Amino acid sequence: MTEISIDESALESMESLLGEQFPDTLEFCCAEFERLGNETIAALGQDKEAAIRHSHSLKSNAAQFGAASLAEVARLIEYNLNNGNDEQAVDAANNLMAQVTGSQAKLIEWHAQR
């Protein structure tokens, strides 16, 4: 089972900052999580720089919107690729899309309860 962790204080900060634009931005970010996750996985073993770039973007976007466990998986991928630990990056990536899906569900659920 994949543990999904959401930082509600980060979500509340973004909601406060974005106001009425928050729902649309949250929906966009959830789509971006999926796009960046897929692109990270596709680039692994093919284009290391692209995999680093996509995992870095995913890490930043996820952290900003409170998807803490997703940000951590993306951080592990980026860190390992940057340090030549490609096998560990691939191991971390095995959990990436489960984190994306689980984080999307938790973020949408959090917003629906507001």
Side-chain angles (χ1 to χ4, degrees):
M1 178 78 190
T2 299
E3 182 74 28
I4 306 295
S5 172
I6 299 299
D7 178 358
E8 291 187 12
S9 65
L11 274 168
E12 289 166 355
S13 293
M14 290 306 293
E15 184 178 43
S16 175
L17 177 71
L18 294 170
E20 63 187 43
Q21 294 176 335
F22 179 77
D24 289 340
T25 305
L26 181 63
E27 184 178 325
F28 174 78
C29 279
C30 284
E32 279 295 282
F33 294 166
E34 192 166 336
R35 182 186 71 80
L36 290 167
N38 283 325
E39 289 186 7
T40 297
I41 290 169
L44 280 173
Q46 307 295 320
D47 183 344
K48 189 173 193 171
E49 291 305 312
I52 291 168
R53 187 173 59 254
H54 295 311
S55 60
H56 175 82
S57 294
L58 180 55
K59 173 190 73 177
S60 300
N61 289 344
Q64 190 172 26
F65 272 82
S69 55
L70 174 57
E72 177 59 16
V73 171
R75 184 196 70 77
L76 284 170
I77 295 167
E78 179 189 20
Y79 173 84
N80 283 307
L81 289 173
N82 277 323
N83 288 290
N85 302 321
D86 294 2
E87 195 171 307
Q88 287 91 335
V90 170
D91 286 346
N94 288 333
N95 190 32
L96 184 60
M97 294 316 291
Q99 278 292 327
V100 167
T101 303
S103 295
Q104 288 170 321
K106 288 238 183 192
L107 293 173
I108 291 165
E109 178 185 330
W110 179 87
H111 186 332
Q113 294 176 353
R114 305 291 289 167

